[in-house]
Amino acid sequence: RGTLYVTYFNNGIILDMLSFKKFITSLRHKTFLFEDIAKYIHDAVTESLNSTSIVNVTIDLTARGGIQSRTM
């Protein structure tokens, strides 16, 4: 379980939320290391917006046992 925060600043280009939701749900069946999830999403969002956009991806994950982790 976790929470995904994506913040971006760009030159008037917007991210289509329906496509973004489909992209995120498509990741359910892939296996990633903890740090690689944020990097993968960051690269995909940066590529779809523009390489000059400023993108910040933060993920809060809670593993079994209640241990929490955060990556940016």
Side-chain angles (χ1 to χ4, degrees):
R1 294 188 167 205
T3 306
L4 171 66
Y5 303 96
V6 177
T7 308
Y8 65 93
F9 302 96
N10 59 16
N11 299 325
I13 301 170
I14 60 171
L15 191 62
D16 178 41
M17 288 295 117
L18 183 58
S19 297
F20 183 68
K21 180 181 175 184
K22 288 180 181 179
F23 167 71
I24 294 300
T25 56
S26 73
L27 299 178
R28 286 184 181 180
H29 303 291
K30 295 186 180 185
T31 304
F32 289 99
L33 295 175
F34 178 67
E35 296 83 5
D36 294 338
I37 299 169
K39 176 78 169 121
Y40 186 81
I41 294 171
H42 176 273
D43 291 346
V45 171
T46 302
E47 181 181 323
S48 68
L49 291 174
N50 187 336
S51 61
T52 61
S53 299
I54 298 171
V55 178
N56 183 18
V57 176
T58 303
I59 301 176
D60 289 328
L61 293 176
T62 303
R64 289 183 169 185
I67 300 170
Q68 292 185 326
S69 299
R70 175 176 255 195
T71 186
M72 293 184 184

